[in-house]
Amino acid sequence: MTPPKAILFDLDGTLVDSARDLTDAVNALLAEEGLPQVSLAAVKSMIGDGAAKLVERALAATGGDLSRLPAHVVRFLAIYETGAARHTAAYPGVPEVLHELKRRGLRLAVVTNKPYAATMDILEALGLAGFFGAVIGGDSLPERKPHPAPLVAALARLDVPAEAAIMVGDNYHDVEAARAAGVRAFAVTYGYSHRPHAELGADRLLDTMSELPSLIDEAVAA
């Protein structure tokens, strides 16, 4: 295994638990439309493929008007971006691990399907923005994960080849994007995966972010 020079991270379900703020914004939108509310667990099952897909899934689950989806997405983002970091928090061990990876000289990036503005709001509110040399949001490019383009763009900004990078995510689209980009894939088991973790096809599974430095060492030594 080529020693890694860069670690790319998904955001929601990997670095931060954002489900409550997303649920609040979804339910505010649904309330405006006279639709029933959805649970935190339901929203967790809808997260991962960008804001438009989250809104589409919420509307489909509650009998909403999908013909007006673009307008609903605009309204959802307006609601969500006023409080994207109100309840969102980094998962245990995340700040410490980012410190350690930077200490090792690794280059770090966030590659998420969340819109860029909300991503930066969260990273800045949690004091994490300074760790990352590149941040690619779901609206930064025409393509989103599982397309490899966002990972390729992040690597270009970091000036690191694919074989010297690891993608850390929580869902199938993270692993599929990594495979398509020629990047190794690690997956956390505590996020919002739509599939059993053992079926994601990741090179390594992490039960906590704190395991990442030692798993990197083990993978290099293997």
Side-chain angles (χ1 to χ4, degrees), residues 17-26 40 43-44 47 80 87-88 192:
D17 183 357
S18 55
R20 182 174 171 186
D21 284 324
L22 287 167
T23 300
D24 288 350
V26 165
L40 178 66
V43 171
K44 285 182 177 181
I47 296 171
Y80 179 60
H87 302 292
T88 294
Y192 312 138

PDB file of all heavy atoms in Angstrom, residues 17-26 40 43-44 47 80 87-88 192:
ATOM      1  N   ASP A  17     -22.596  14.865  13.073  1.00  0.00           N
ATOM      2  CA  ASP A  17     -23.972  14.385  13.182  1.00  0.00           C
ATOM      3  C   ASP A  17     -24.886  15.580  12.954  1.00  0.00           C
ATOM      4  O   ASP A  17     -25.051  16.427  13.831  1.00  0.00           O
ATOM      5  CB  ASP A  17     -24.216  13.776  14.563  1.00  0.00           C
ATOM      6  CG  ASP A  17     -25.609  13.190  14.718  1.00  0.00           C
ATOM      7  OD1 ASP A  17     -26.410  13.300  13.768  1.00  0.00           O
ATOM      8  OD2 ASP A  17     -25.908  12.632  15.788  1.00  0.00           O
ATOM      9  N   SER A  18     -25.450  15.657  11.781  1.00  0.00           N
ATOM     10  CA  SER A  18     -26.271  16.802  11.370  1.00  0.00           C
ATOM     11  C   SER A  18     -27.749  16.456  11.275  1.00  0.00           C
ATOM     12  O   SER A  18     -28.553  17.273  10.819  1.00  0.00           O
ATOM     13  CB  SER A  18     -25.790  17.320  10.014  1.00  0.00           C
ATOM     14  OG  SER A  18     -25.798  16.255   9.063  1.00  0.00           O
ATOM     15  N   ALA A  19     -28.113  15.256  11.703  1.00  0.00           N
ATOM     16  CA  ALA A  19     -29.465  14.757  11.438  1.00  0.00           C
ATOM     17  C   ALA A  19     -30.555  15.607  12.097  1.00  0.00           C
ATOM     18  O   ALA A  19     -31.628  15.801  11.514  1.00  0.00           O
ATOM     19  CB  ALA A  19     -29.593  13.308  11.889  1.00  0.00           C
ATOM     20  N   ARG A  20     -30.305  16.125  13.284  1.00  0.00           N
ATOM     21  CA  ARG A  20     -31.364  16.890  13.946  1.00  0.00           C
ATOM     22  C   ARG A  20     -31.653  18.193  13.206  1.00  0.00           C
ATOM     23  O   ARG A  20     -32.821  18.550  13.013  1.00  0.00           O
ATOM     24  CB  ARG A  20     -30.995  17.186  15.402  1.00  0.00           C
ATOM     25  CG  ARG A  20     -32.102  17.936  16.137  1.00  0.00           C
ATOM     26  CD  ARG A  20     -31.811  18.110  17.612  1.00  0.00           C
ATOM     27  NE  ARG A  20     -32.781  19.008  18.227  1.00  0.00           N
ATOM     28  CZ  ARG A  20     -32.707  19.437  19.484  1.00  0.00           C
ATOM     29  NH1 ARG A  20     -31.722  19.023  20.272  1.00  0.00           N
ATOM     30  NH2 ARG A  20     -33.608  20.269  19.962  1.00  0.00           N
ATOM     31  N   ASP A  21     -30.608  18.910  12.781  1.00  0.00           N
ATOM     32  CA  ASP A  21     -30.839  20.150  12.049  1.00  0.00           C
ATOM     33  C   ASP A  21     -31.516  19.877  10.710  1.00  0.00           C
ATOM     34  O   ASP A  21     -32.386  20.646  10.268  1.00  0.00           O
ATOM     35  CB  ASP A  21     -29.530  20.907  11.837  1.00  0.00           C
ATOM     36  CG  ASP A  21     -29.059  21.615  13.101  1.00  0.00           C
ATOM     37  OD1 ASP A  21     -29.913  22.108  13.856  1.00  0.00           O
ATOM     38  OD2 ASP A  21     -27.841  21.671  13.331  1.00  0.00           O
ATOM     39  N   LEU A  22     -31.128  18.798  10.048  1.00  0.00           N
ATOM     40  CA  LEU A  22     -31.778  18.435   8.791  1.00  0.00           C
ATOM     41  C   LEU A  22     -33.240  18.071   9.023  1.00  0.00           C
ATOM     42  O   LEU A  22     -34.121  18.458   8.241  1.00  0.00           O
ATOM     43  CB  LEU A  22     -31.033  17.276   8.127  1.00  0.00           C
ATOM     44  CG  LEU A  22     -29.681  17.637   7.514  1.00  0.00           C
ATOM     45  CD1 LEU A  22     -28.892  16.385   7.186  1.00  0.00           C
ATOM     46  CD2 LEU A  22     -29.866  18.482   6.260  1.00  0.00           C
ATOM     47  N   THR A  23     -33.503  17.344  10.109  1.00  0.00           N
ATOM     48  CA  THR A  23     -34.876  16.974  10.424  1.00  0.00           C
ATOM     49  C   THR A  23     -35.724  18.207  10.715  1.00  0.00           C
ATOM     50  O   THR A  23     -36.862  18.326  10.245  1.00  0.00           O
ATOM     51  CB  THR A  23     -34.913  16.017  11.629  1.00  0.00           C
ATOM     52  OG1 THR A  23     -34.165  14.839  11.316  1.00  0.00           O
ATOM     53  CG2 THR A  23     -36.339  15.608  11.973  1.00  0.00           C
ATOM     54  N   ASP A  24     -35.178  19.139  11.471  1.00  0.00           N
ATOM     55  CA  ASP A  24     -35.910  20.369  11.789  1.00  0.00           C
ATOM     56  C   ASP A  24     -36.253  21.140  10.519  1.00  0.00           C
ATOM     57  O   ASP A  24     -37.371  21.661  10.375  1.00  0.00           O
ATOM     58  CB  ASP A  24     -35.092  21.247  12.738  1.00  0.00           C
ATOM     59  CG  ASP A  24     -35.019  20.693  14.153  1.00  0.00           C
ATOM     60  OD1 ASP A  24     -35.758  19.734  14.453  1.00  0.00           O
ATOM     61  OD2 ASP A  24     -34.215  21.221  14.941  1.00  0.00           O
ATOM     62  N   ALA A  25     -35.307  21.225   9.594  1.00  0.00           N
ATOM     63  CA  ALA A  25     -35.550  21.962   8.355  1.00  0.00           C
ATOM     64  C   ALA A  25     -36.567  21.240   7.471  1.00  0.00           C
ATOM     65  O   ALA A  25     -37.450  21.873   6.871  1.00  0.00           O
ATOM     66  CB  ALA A  25     -34.246  22.174   7.599  1.00  0.00           C
ATOM     67  N   VAL A  26     -36.444  19.926   7.374  1.00  0.00           N
ATOM     68  CA  VAL A  26     -37.424  19.153   6.598  1.00  0.00           C
ATOM     69  C   VAL A  26     -38.822  19.338   7.168  1.00  0.00           C
ATOM     70  O   VAL A  26     -39.792  19.585   6.433  1.00  0.00           O
ATOM     71  CB  VAL A  26     -37.039  17.658   6.585  1.00  0.00           C
ATOM     72  CG1 VAL A  26     -38.210  16.801   6.105  1.00  0.00           C
ATOM     73  CG2 VAL A  26     -35.831  17.423   5.687  1.00  0.00           C
ATOM     74  N   LEU A  40     -36.795  11.661  13.247  1.00  0.00           N
ATOM     75  CA  LEU A  40     -35.343  11.731  13.112  1.00  0.00           C
ATOM     76  C   LEU A  40     -34.812  10.482  12.421  1.00  0.00           C
ATOM     77  O   LEU A  40     -33.960  10.565  11.532  1.00  0.00           O
ATOM     78  CB  LEU A  40     -34.709  11.893  14.498  1.00  0.00           C
ATOM     79  CG  LEU A  40     -33.181  11.947  14.563  1.00  0.00           C
ATOM     80  CD1 LEU A  40     -32.651  13.195  13.875  1.00  0.00           C
ATOM     81  CD2 LEU A  40     -32.711  11.928  16.024  1.00  0.00           C
ATOM     82  N   VAL A  43     -35.468  10.611   8.677  1.00  0.00           N
ATOM     83  CA  VAL A  43     -34.581  11.529   7.958  1.00  0.00           C
ATOM     84  C   VAL A  43     -33.181  10.935   7.835  1.00  0.00           C
ATOM     85  O   VAL A  43     -32.532  11.081   6.798  1.00  0.00           O
ATOM     86  CB  VAL A  43     -34.555  12.909   8.643  1.00  0.00           C
ATOM     87  CG1 VAL A  43     -33.470  13.798   8.047  1.00  0.00           C
ATOM     88  CG2 VAL A  43     -35.915  13.580   8.512  1.00  0.00           C
ATOM     89  N   LYS A  44     -32.706  10.249   8.862  1.00  0.00           N
ATOM     90  CA  LYS A  44     -31.393   9.610   8.762  1.00  0.00           C
ATOM     91  C   LYS A  44     -31.333   8.650   7.580  1.00  0.00           C
ATOM     92  O   LYS A  44     -30.292   8.512   6.929  1.00  0.00           O
ATOM     93  CB  LYS A  44     -31.056   8.872  10.063  1.00  0.00           C
ATOM     94  CG  LYS A  44     -30.663   9.784  11.206  1.00  0.00           C
ATOM     95  CD  LYS A  44     -30.286   8.972  12.442  1.00  0.00           C
ATOM     96  CE  LYS A  44     -29.830   9.874  13.575  1.00  0.00           C
ATOM     97  NZ  LYS A  44     -29.425   9.100  14.780  1.00  0.00           N
ATOM     98  N   ILE A  47     -30.741  10.752   4.226  1.00  0.00           N
ATOM     99  CA  ILE A  47     -29.555  11.593   4.084  1.00  0.00           C
ATOM    100  C   ILE A  47     -28.508  10.913   3.203  1.00  0.00           C
ATOM    101  O   ILE A  47     -28.362   9.696   3.232  1.00  0.00           O
ATOM    102  CB  ILE A  47     -28.947  11.893   5.471  1.00  0.00           C
ATOM    103  CG1 ILE A  47     -29.913  12.712   6.322  1.00  0.00           C
ATOM    104  CG2 ILE A  47     -27.614  12.617   5.355  1.00  0.00           C
ATOM    105  CD1 ILE A  47     -29.480  12.856   7.774  1.00  0.00           C
ATOM    106  N   TYR A  80     -32.866  25.672   5.976  1.00  0.00           N
ATOM    107  CA  TYR A  80     -31.757  24.935   6.582  1.00  0.00           C
ATOM    108  C   TYR A  80     -30.534  25.815   6.798  1.00  0.00           C
ATOM    109  O   TYR A  80     -29.882  25.754   7.850  1.00  0.00           O
ATOM    110  CB  TYR A  80     -31.393  23.742   5.694  1.00  0.00           C
ATOM    111  CG  TYR A  80     -30.236  22.921   6.214  1.00  0.00           C
ATOM    112  CD1 TYR A  80     -30.300  22.309   7.461  1.00  0.00           C
ATOM    113  CD2 TYR A  80     -29.073  22.761   5.468  1.00  0.00           C
ATOM    114  CE1 TYR A  80     -29.239  21.559   7.947  1.00  0.00           C
ATOM    115  CE2 TYR A  80     -28.016  22.009   5.934  1.00  0.00           C
ATOM    116  CZ  TYR A  80     -28.099  21.410   7.180  1.00  0.00           C
ATOM    117  OH  TYR A  80     -27.052  20.683   7.662  1.00  0.00           O
ATOM    118  N   HIS A  87     -27.725  22.478  16.005  1.00  0.00           N
ATOM    119  CA  HIS A  87     -27.583  21.285  16.842  1.00  0.00           C
ATOM    120  C   HIS A  87     -26.504  20.334  16.324  1.00  0.00           C
ATOM    121  O   HIS A  87     -26.210  19.334  16.975  1.00  0.00           O
ATOM    122  CB  HIS A  87     -28.913  20.529  16.915  1.00  0.00           C
ATOM    123  CG  HIS A  87     -30.049  21.345  17.451  1.00  0.00           C
ATOM    124  ND1 HIS A  87     -30.095  21.771  18.769  1.00  0.00           N
ATOM    125  CD2 HIS A  87     -31.160  21.832  16.848  1.00  0.00           C
ATOM    126  CE1 HIS A  87     -31.209  22.477  18.947  1.00  0.00           C
ATOM    127  NE2 HIS A  87     -31.868  22.538  17.814  1.00  0.00           N
ATOM    128  N   THR A  88     -25.946  20.622  15.166  1.00  0.00           N
ATOM    129  CA  THR A  88     -24.950  19.746  14.554  1.00  0.00           C
ATOM    130  C   THR A  88     -23.655  19.774  15.368  1.00  0.00           C
ATOM    131  O   THR A  88     -23.205  20.832  15.799  1.00  0.00           O
ATOM    132  CB  THR A  88     -24.687  20.176  13.099  1.00  0.00           C
ATOM    133  OG1 THR A  88     -25.886  19.943  12.349  1.00  0.00           O
ATOM    134  CG2 THR A  88     -23.542  19.412  12.486  1.00  0.00           C
ATOM    135  N   TYR A 192     -24.948   7.230   8.497  1.00  0.00           N
ATOM    136  CA  TYR A 192     -26.307   7.117   7.966  1.00  0.00           C
ATOM    137  C   TYR A 192     -26.348   6.165   6.778  1.00  0.00           C
ATOM    138  O   TYR A 192     -26.999   6.431   5.772  1.00  0.00           O
ATOM    139  CB  TYR A 192     -26.824   8.493   7.511  1.00  0.00           C
ATOM    140  CG  TYR A 192     -26.635   9.617   8.500  1.00  0.00           C
ATOM    141  CD1 TYR A 192     -26.222  10.879   8.069  1.00  0.00           C
ATOM    142  CD2 TYR A 192     -26.869   9.448   9.860  1.00  0.00           C
ATOM    143  CE1 TYR A 192     -26.063  11.931   8.951  1.00  0.00           C
ATOM    144  CE2 TYR A 192     -26.692  10.484  10.753  1.00  0.00           C
ATOM    145  CZ  TYR A 192     -26.297  11.728  10.287  1.00  0.00           C
ATOM    146  OH  TYR A 192     -26.127  12.763  11.174  1.00  0.00           O
TER     147      TYR A 192
END
